[in-house]
Amino acid sequence: MKEKKAMHIITWITGILTVLLGFYAVVRPMRTFLAIGWILGTLLLVNGIELVILSLSKEKKDIGACVLGVVEGLAGVVLLFSGLQRFLTDIMATYLVGVSILIYGIFQIAGGIKALKVSKGKGILAIICGVLSIIISFIAFSHPVLTMFSVGYMIAFSILMQGINMIVLAVNMGSK
C-alpha cells in the first residue's frame, strides 16, 4: 500500500514536471529543436560506455565491441563539447526530416496508385497526400529554419501530451 501511494505521488510529480517542460518547449521551439545535438551526444556517450563495460565484462572479451564503444563514446564527447559539431548535427537533422517526408510522399503515391485498382477515392486521396508530402519536403529543404521551428513544435506538443497523459494516469491511480 505504501509503494502504491509513493508511485501515485511520483506519477503526479513527473506528470506536472513534464507538462511544465512541454509548455517551455512550446514557448521555445527553436531551442527545443537545437537540443537534438545534446540529446544525441549524451546517448552516444552513455551507449559507448555501456558497450565498453558489457564487452569487457564477458568471459570472452569482445575487442571489436569494446573499440566500437570507445569510438561511440568519443563521438558523444565531441558532440557534447563542440558547438560546431552540435550545430552541424542539428542542420543534418533538419535535412533528414525533409528526406523522410520526401520518401514518405513517394511511397504514399506508389501506394495510392496501387489502391486505385481497389478504391478510386482511397487511391486519389493517397496520391494527393503523397504529392503534398513531397511539396512539404521541398519546403523543408528550402527553408530549414521553418523546419526547425516545426519540428520543435512537434516535439513540444509530444512532451505536453505525455505530461497530460501522466497526470491522467495519476488521477486514475488515486481513484482506485
Side-chain angles (χ1 to χ4, degrees), residues 7-176:
M7 188 63 166
H8 181 244
I9 292 169
I10 290 170
T11 305
W12 264 109
I13 291 170
T14 55
I16 291 169
L17 290 175
T18 306
V19 165
L20 291 174
L21 178 64
F23 280 124
Y24 174 78
V26 166
V27 173
R28 307 288 283 191
M30 183 61 94
R31 184 167 285 183
T32 300
F33 179 81
L34 293 176
I36 290 172
W38 287 101
I39 294 166
L40 184 59
T42 303
L43 290 173
L44 284 169
L45 179 61
V46 170
N47 195 53
I49 292 169
E50 178 188 24
L51 197 54
V52 168
I53 292 170
L54 288 175
S55 65
L56 294 178
S57 66
K58 294 179 181 177
E59 193 173 300
K60 184 177 181 202
K61 309 295 185 238
D62 188 353
I63 300 303
C66 184
V67 170
L68 179 63
V70 169
V71 170
E72 194 172 343
L74 288 174
V77 168
V78 167
L79 198 52
L80 287 172
F81 293 102
S82 171
L84 176 63
Q85 294 300 326
R86 275 192 316 278
F87 176 72
L88 292 174
T89 300
D90 294 334
I91 295 299
M92 288 306 299
T94 303
Y95 288 110
L96 285 173
V97 168
V99 168
S100 299
I101 295 170
L102 177 65
I103 292 170
Y104 178 76
I106 291 168
F107 279 108
Q108 221 170 5
I109 291 171
I113 291 170
K114 283 185 179 180
L116 281 173
K117 297 173 186 164
V118 178
S119 168
K120 290 262 189 235
K122 286 182 181 179
I124 291 171
L125 183 62
I127 291 170
I128 291 170
C129 289
V131 169
L132 289 174
S133 292
I134 290 173
I135 291 169
I136 290 170
S137 74
F138 287 127
I139 293 170
F141 289 129
S142 60
H143 298 288
V145 174
L146 177 64
T147 303
M148 289 178 185
F149 273 105
S150 301
V151 172
Y153 279 124
M154 286 187 273
I155 293 169
F157 287 119
S158 295
I159 293 169
L160 195 55
M161 291 298 102
Q162 182 62 33
I164 291 169
N165 286 337
M166 292 171 81
I167 290 172
V168 169
L169 178 65
V171 168
N172 288 334
M173 288 171 84
S175 67
K176 291 181 180 178

